[in-house]
Amino acid sequence: MDRTSYPTDLTDCQWRLIEPHVPRPKPGGRSAKYTRREVVNAILYQTRNGCVWRALPHDLPGYRIVFHYFRAWQADGTWDTVHDALRAKVRRAAGRRPKPSAAVVDSQTVKGTEFSAPNGYDGGEKGRGRKRFVAVDTLGLLWALMVVPADTQDRAGGPVLMDKLRAAVKRLKVVWGDTHFDTALAHGWVRWGWVGLVVRKVAGQVGFLVRPKRWVVERTFAWLGRSRRLSKEYERTTESSEAFIKVAMIHLMVRRLRR
């Protein structure tokens, strides 16, 4: 790497964790101009700093190449593969089994832009944009994700999120959620026998207050908020939004494993 490093660049140890899961260049034809590591570094820079694609620094690979690989690895499931492999390593490093027995679910409304369509109006948050439904384990790691228009109610989107969670984890026993997820928690109990626990607000509560288990998923949202690309919904498709969320989690986990 013949350039000054950026804070988002992967170290040699961090790249060795990711490299086995990144597709290698196809045989034949001319050799690749940029290494896969440099392309990943550029995508991490983009996610963390939030610039437009054309504004990537000139000492990183060209923005057209970086965007091409971001979309290609989104389409072929590379981001999912890297994310899931690192998540298992983080859980093992914490002395946990690869798959959890408990989860926490929640949603977050994020303002959109004129490019992010479809959008919707969230009457509770009084804003137009998209809503991120997530299910995390007790370490705050992502197990199910869904980005939808903000006018999707938690009671409608929650059961869909639970179906995604069930597809990822079969051994769940307990799921926590707030009062808006009561339908989703009942859905999990009826279909798979999961115990759904509603974490209610304290009477007279104004603003944020740390609540048992709910703070775990709120912390995950705070982790995502460190990436400026995720501060608003800039993506034209919800699939790209989900991919950027997974890239942000990949960066967080690889740093946790190899600081």
Side-chain angles (χ1 to χ4, degrees):
M1 184 171 64
D2 299 326
R3 61 174 175 79
T4 303
S5 64
Y6 292 103
T8 51
D9 285 346
L10 296 170
T11 65
D12 292 341
C13 292
Q14 290 170 349
W15 173 241
R16 283 196 289 270
L17 291 174
I18 294 177
E19 184 180 15
H21 310 289
V22 176
R24 297 181 180 275
K26 295 180 180 179
R30 62 181 182 180
S31 58
K33 183 177 180 180
Y34 301 102
T35 65
R36 292 294 192 262
R37 180 176 177 178
E38 276 292 80
V39 172
V40 173
N41 280 335
I43 293 171
L44 294 178
Y45 181 98
Q46 165 67 271
T47 306
R48 185 72 172 189
N49 295 293
C51 62
V52 297
W53 288 104
R54 290 175 180 270
L56 281 174
H58 293 168
D59 54 355
L60 290 173
Y63 77 91
R64 288 187 177 90
I65 294 175
V66 178
F67 180 72
H68 165 77
Y69 281 110
F70 172 78
R71 292 297 300 274
W73 293 341
Q74 169 192 325
D76 67 12
T78 296
W79 296 127
D80 294 327
T81 301
V82 176
H83 176 271
D84 295 352
L86 293 178
R87 182 182 60 196
K89 290 180 182 295
V90 172
R91 286 188 59 83
R92 283 195 292 268
R96 308 292 182 88
R97 292 184 178 183
K99 293 196 174 183
S101 59
V104 192
V105 296
D106 203 357
S107 68
Q108 178 192 47
T109 298
V110 183
K111 290 183 178 179
T113 65
E114 68 275 19
F115 293 109
S116 58
N119 277 334
Y121 183 79
D122 185 339
E125 297 294 333
K126 295 180 173 57
R128 177 169 291 277
R130 288 179 180 159
K131 186 174 286 188
R132 298 166 182 167
F133 285 85
V134 302
V136 303
D137 60 21
T138 53
L139 296 178
L141 305 179
L142 193 65
W143 284 90
L145 170 65
M146 185 171 67
V147 178
V148 295
D151 56 0
T152 304
Q153 298 297 316
D154 290 351
R155 287 184 171 88
V160 181
L161 179 71
M162 297 291 269
D163 288 338
K164 288 178 174 286
L165 180 58
R166 168 66 179 181
V169 189
K170 300 293 192 297
R171 63 184 294 269
L172 273 181
K173 297 179 180 178
V174 183
V175 183
W176 287 274
D178 65 15
T179 52
H180 296 119
F181 280 84
D182 53 0
T183 301
L185 298 177
H187 178 83
W189 165 253
V190 170
R191 296 198 64 181
W192 310 296
W194 296 348
V195 176
L197 300 178
V198 177
V199 182
R200 303 184 185 277
K201 287 185 177 182
V202 176
Q205 175 183 337
V206 178
F208 176 75
L209 180 67
V210 176
R211 301 296 297 143
K213 302 302 178 183
R214 280 287 311 285
W215 67 270
V216 174
V217 69
E218 296 292 349
R219 180 183 60 182
T220 301
F221 285 137
W223 288 341
L224 296 177
R226 297 173 184 172
S227 297
R228 296 188 178 185
R229 185 78 187 193
L230 301 176
S231 62
K232 276 189 175 183
E233 276 293 331
Y234 296 104
E235 311 315 313
R236 293 181 183 272
T237 66
T238 56
E239 291 80 10
S240 290
S241 297
E242 293 175 3
F244 268 115
I245 290 172
K246 289 172 183 174
V247 170
M249 291 301 295
I250 287 169
H251 204 188
L252 181 146
M253 291 187 293
V254 78
R255 285 188 162 190
R256 184 174 294 186
L257 289 166
R258 298 289 187 273
R259 292 190 180 279

